[in-house]
């Protein structure tokens, strides 16, 4: 099918309740921008979420909450397709085909699995967690996505997607678009506020190291003010020598659209306290309406569910076509002759 716009696809897990600042700056901001230039598909990946144990009632609530936060961030259901992954069964169906194309050794090399399974212990880590990246391959290929907006931590999974698309195309004939990662260099990795050598993450960060967008704004402001920096006073972007200040400058620059050299000039001789105080005010100004918009969507679950049902319908139309093509190429008999 000829497309007049490139396709984009990305997914986010409904696992933590609130999204954090890393999710927003690393990925969701790009989702919003790409609605303007791409035929964009965004999905709340509940199938991925159950690779670790989930309480059913919480998972259901968090799926709506994730969708509400995406809409509050600026996704417009008239300009993109927003849906819940489990509403489109083709994801699991193509996931199986991709499982059968992936080498066991190849899957074993995925660093995110190695990290997460090491934390949980081999006996508690599920086979689902092991095959997580392969389901992600199916998510992307089903929509013939050209670009996948993600944070840096997902680069290896997008490489696997490219490898499997090439492998399938080589073995069965041209079927899938080979996607490219869409990672914004400046914000691809937002760091933990207490340990600016690790990424801000719901599983690895301490409560003081992570800014949850739905927290009380004054709690988030306090976290910015007590972010770990260094013993100097000079405000300069230097990721190696000054990771804490560099992380704050990145956050400041992205939230305000001010270039980092301009911030360095503006804060010359002013010390870290001034930068932290002003950044905390900027954050409060940004999260306050975000929280309100999220609450408005949640207050009307009927409308939210309608948006998601319509999104699933649009997504299925594309996914079913790709799955039928892939099934045919693999050699499955058609269900309807
Ligand atoms: N710190 C980050 N900087 C930039 N981008 C980030 N992302 C996550 N953390 C950062 C990006 O957010 C998107 C959604 O990711 P997800 O649904 O897979 O959430 P996650 O990766 O599970 O989030 P966490 O906090 O990183 O969870 P854990 O600790 O469980 O691994 C992705 O595009 C991701 O790159």
């Amino acid at each position: 099918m000829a497309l007049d716009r490139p396709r984009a696809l990305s997914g986010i897990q409904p696992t933590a309740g609130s999204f954090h600042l890393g999710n927003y700056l690393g990925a969701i901001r790009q989702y919003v921008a790409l609605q303007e230039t791409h035929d964009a598909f965004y999905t709340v990946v509940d199938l991925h979420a159950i690779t670790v144990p989930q309480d059913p009632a919480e998972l259901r609530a968090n799926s709506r909450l994730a969708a509400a936060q995406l809409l509050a961030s600026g996704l417009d259901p008239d300009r993109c397709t927003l849906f819940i992954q489990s509403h489109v069964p083709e994801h699991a169906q193509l996931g199986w085909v991709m499982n059968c194309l992936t080498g066991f050794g190849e899957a074993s090399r995925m660093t995110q699995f190695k990290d997460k399974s090491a934390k949980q212990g081999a006996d508690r880590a599920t086979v689902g967690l092991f095959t997580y990246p392969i389901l992600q391959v199916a998510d992307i290929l089903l929509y013939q996505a050209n670009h996948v907006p993600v944070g840096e931590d997902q680069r290896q999974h997008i490489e696997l997607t490219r490898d499997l698309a090439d492998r399938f195309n080589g073995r069965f004939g041209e079927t899938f678009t080979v996607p490219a990662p869409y990672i914004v260099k400046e914000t691809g990795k937002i760091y933990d506020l207490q340990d600016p050598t690790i990424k801000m993450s719901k599983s690895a960060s301490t409560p003081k190291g992570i800014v949850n967008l739905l927290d009380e704004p004054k709690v988030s402001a306090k976290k910015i003010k007590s972010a770990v920096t260094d013993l100097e006073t000079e405000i300069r972007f230097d990721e190696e020598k000054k990771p804490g200040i560099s992380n704050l400058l990145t956050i400041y620059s992205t939230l305000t659209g001010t270039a980092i050299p301009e911030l360095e000039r503006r804060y010359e001789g002013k010390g870290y306290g001034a930068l932290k105080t002003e950044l905390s005010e900027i954050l409060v100004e940004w999260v306050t309406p975000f929280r309100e918009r999220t609450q408005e969507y949640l207050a009307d679950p009927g409308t939210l569910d309608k948006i998601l049902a319509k999104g699933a319908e649009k997504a299925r139309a594309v996914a079913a076509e790709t799955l039928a093509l892939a099934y045919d190429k693999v050699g499955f008999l058609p269900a309807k002759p």
Side-chain angles (χ1 to χ4, degrees):
M1 186 174 44
L3 297 169
D4 53 354
R5 288 173 146 207
R7 284 251 173 88
L9 174 289
S10 200
I12 190 152
Q13 296 194 79
T15 41
S18 176
F19 292 155
H20 60 71
L21 199 55
N23 298 140
Y24 177 72
L25 297 178
I28 300 168
R29 258 177 72 89
Q30 280 62 258
Y31 297 2
V32 177
L34 292 186
Q35 304 179 104
E36 309 305 330
T37 52
H38 286 63
D39 183 20
F41 292 79
Y42 301 119
T43 176
V44 174
V45 289
D46 52 354
L47 298 180
H48 286 275
I50 63 162
T51 56
V52 295
Q54 300 291 334
D55 172 78
E58 242 174 64
L59 177 62
R60 212 164 282 133
N62 282 341
S63 295
R64 279 208 186 96
L65 185 54
Q69 289 177 87
L70 289 172
L71 292 164
S73 301
L75 289 192
D76 174 351
D78 291 328
R79 282 185 291 165
C80 71
T81 303
L82 173 64
F83 64 100
I84 302 286
Q85 186 187 28
S86 64
H87 292 177
V88 181
E90 285 80 0
H91 287 250
Q93 291 172 292
L94 187 63
W96 178 253
V97 175
M98 291 298 152
N99 271 323
C100 298
L101 219 68
T102 311
F104 190 82
E106 189 175 31
S108 309
R109 285 192 288 277
M110 295 296 115
T111 53
Q112 207 172 64
F113 171 75
K114 285 200 262 186
D115 292 348
K116 291 193 175 177
S117 60
K119 270 185 210 154
Q120 293 176 20
D123 285 342
R124 289 188 59 207
T126 65
V127 175
L129 188 66
F130 183 64
T131 60
Y132 181 117
I134 306 164
L135 179 59
Q136 195 176 337
V137 169
D139 298 339
I140 298 165
L141 298 185
L142 269 180
Y143 299 91
Q144 306 285 14
N146 304 89
H147 298 124
V148 187
V150 282
E152 187 59 51
D153 58 342
Q154 293 296 323
R155 190 182 287 280
Q156 193 188 30
H157 292 173
I158 312 302
E159 271 311 312
L160 177 70
T161 310
R162 292 170 60 83
D163 289 347
L164 289 177
D166 276 333
R167 192 171 307 159
F168 191 103
N169 290 346
R171 199 173 292 179
F172 301 110
E174 211 50 42
T175 307
F176 294 116
T177 302
V178 180
Y182 185 93
I183 301 172
V184 173
K185 189 173 160 284
E186 291 76 10
T187 54
K189 193 167 179 182
I190 298 297
Y191 294 89
D192 183 290
L193 296 180
Q194 289 298 311
D195 178 357
T197 61
I198 62 166
K199 74 161 192 166
M200 188 180 284
S201 138
K202 63 177 180 285
S203 61
S205 291
T206 58
K208 282 175 79 184
I210 186 168
V211 172
N212 288 312
L213 304 183
L214 295 177
D215 279 355
E216 274 296 327
K218 60 173 189 261
V219 171
S220 300
K222 206 168 157 199
K223 290 182 188 177
I224 295 280
K225 285 186 192 153
S226 52
V228 166
T229 47
D230 53 66
L231 296 173
E232 298 178 4
T233 52
E234 191 193 0
I235 295 178
R236 177 168 54 83
F237 188 86
D238 180 339
E239 278 186 305
E240 218 168 281
K241 296 202 183 93
K242 299 165 82 70
I245 277 298
S246 302
N247 192 37
L248 294 179
L249 284 170
T250 299
I251 296 170
Y252 195 135
S253 165
T254 316
L255 286 180
T256 59
T258 316
I260 288 180
E262 163 62 22
L263 291 176
E264 288 172 335
R265 268 194 301 280
R266 199 183 288 172
Y267 284 97
E268 206 179 325
K270 287 197 179 157
Y272 295 168
L275 178 84
K276 287 179 175 178
T277 300
E278 280 166 43
L279 176 56
S280 65
E281 286 163 9
I282 288 160
L283 184 72
V284 168
E285 240 171 74
W286 182 79
V287 291
T288 303
F290 169 84
R291 292 172 84 230
E292 284 164 9
R293 286 194 297 274
T294 303
Q295 287 313 325
E296 280 164 23
Y297 283 110
L298 287 177
D300 185 1
T303 301
L304 189 57
D305 288 354
K306 265 191 214 139
I307 291 172
L308 295 172
K310 200 168 153 215
E313 201 182 315
K314 275 165 71 189
R316 276 204 86 174
V318 177
E321 195 181 320
T322 312
L323 183 74
L325 183 65
Y327 269 19
D328 181 56
K329 292 278 175 89
V330 166
F332 292 160
L333 269 178
K336 286 187 200 138

